[in-house]
């Protein structure tokens, strides 16, 4: 019975961390541009959570989080449901098969940023909504956003210990 409460508290803390990250990305970094690009923190957080909890639970968390992101009115919300879920399942599977260490989560966070933002870029270009930005900005955005991985990984690992 006590283990069930610990797991519930862990998932509530992950949800609060996601909501705070969503608030940070939209309210604090929503209008701020670094070298012409915005930071993307949500894919990094979701990959770190999936790396800690595994591919099944992490994939489900990513699916629910992406749906909440979509319901918040984000411009890339509908695409995020697919890309963030795939990134979460892939990161959780890779970390459960190989290593749940610090640096594999870095590489997986970078790949998730490239996948998600690349699909968003190509979809906007296909629909004619791209603002003329080159694809190299996706790479720049990934490079600028990936340092947040250290903070998110340590937070996700600390929260994961609550449910263990």
């Amino acid at each position: 019975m006590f283990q069930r409460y610990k797991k519930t508290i862990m998932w509530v803390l992950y949800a609060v961390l996601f909501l705070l990250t969503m608030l940070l990305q939209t309210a604090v970094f929503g209008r701020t541009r670094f070298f012409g690009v915005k930071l993307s923190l949500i894919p990094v957080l979701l990959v770190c959570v999936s790396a800690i909890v595994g591919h099944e639970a992490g994939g489900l968390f990513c699916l629910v989080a992406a749906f909440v992101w979509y319901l918040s009115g984000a411009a890339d919300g509908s695409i995020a449901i697919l890309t963030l879920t795939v990134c979460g399942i892939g990161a959780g599977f890779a970390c459960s098969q190989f290593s749940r260490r610090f640096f594999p989560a870095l590489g997986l966070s970078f790949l998730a940023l490239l996948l998600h933002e690349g699909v968003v870029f190509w979809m906007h270009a296909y629909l004619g909504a791209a603002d003329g930005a080159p694809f190299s900005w996706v790479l720049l955005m990934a490079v600028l956003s990936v340092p947040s991985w250290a903070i998110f990984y340590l937070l996700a690992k600390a929260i994961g210990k609550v449910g263990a």
Side-chain angles (χ1 to χ4, degrees):
M1 189 77 156
F2 182 68
Q3 184 67 19
R4 194 164 136 194
Y5 290 125
K6 286 172 52 175
K7 288 282 186 188
T8 302
I9 290 171
M10 178 188 76
W11 287 113
V12 167
L13 289 174
Y14 278 138
V16 168
L17 181 62
F18 171 72
L19 291 175
L20 289 174
T21 303
M22 198 168 80
L23 181 67
L24 182 70
Q25 181 171 328
T26 56
V28 177
F29 295 122
R31 296 186 188 266
T32 307
R33 293 187 181 262
F34 300 96
F35 303 106
V37 297
K38 293 181 183 180
L39 296 181
S40 182
L41 304 175
I42 290 176
V44 177
L45 170 71
L46 295 179
V47 164
C48 289
V49 170
S50 292
I52 299 297
V53 300
H55 65 283
E56 290 176 0
L60 183 60
F61 179 75
C62 290
L63 177 65
V64 171
F67 187 67
V68 170
W69 181 240
Y70 166 73
L71 291 177
S72 73
D76 62 343
S78 58
I79 299 168
I81 293 174
L82 174 67
T83 59
L84 294 179
T85 304
V86 168
C87 290
I89 291 170
F93 182 75
C95 285
S96 67
Q97 293 298 317
F98 302 112
S99 171
R100 290 193 177 161
R101 304 249 191 249
F102 198 61
F103 290 109
L106 168 67
L108 293 168
S109 296
F110 186 72
L111 289 175
L113 283 166
L114 287 178
L115 175 74
H116 173 67
E117 295 298 331
V119 169
V120 168
F121 173 81
W122 289 112
M123 188 60 89
H124 284 200
Y126 176 73
L127 295 174
D131 55 355
F135 185 73
S136 62
W137 285 22
V138 172
L139 183 63
L140 179 62
M141 184 275 318
V143 168
L144 292 176
S145 298
V146 88
S148 64
W149 133 87
I151 295 167
F152 288 138
Y153 183 81
L154 294 175
L155 287 172
K157 191 167 185 168
I159 292 172
K161 287 182 181 180
V162 169

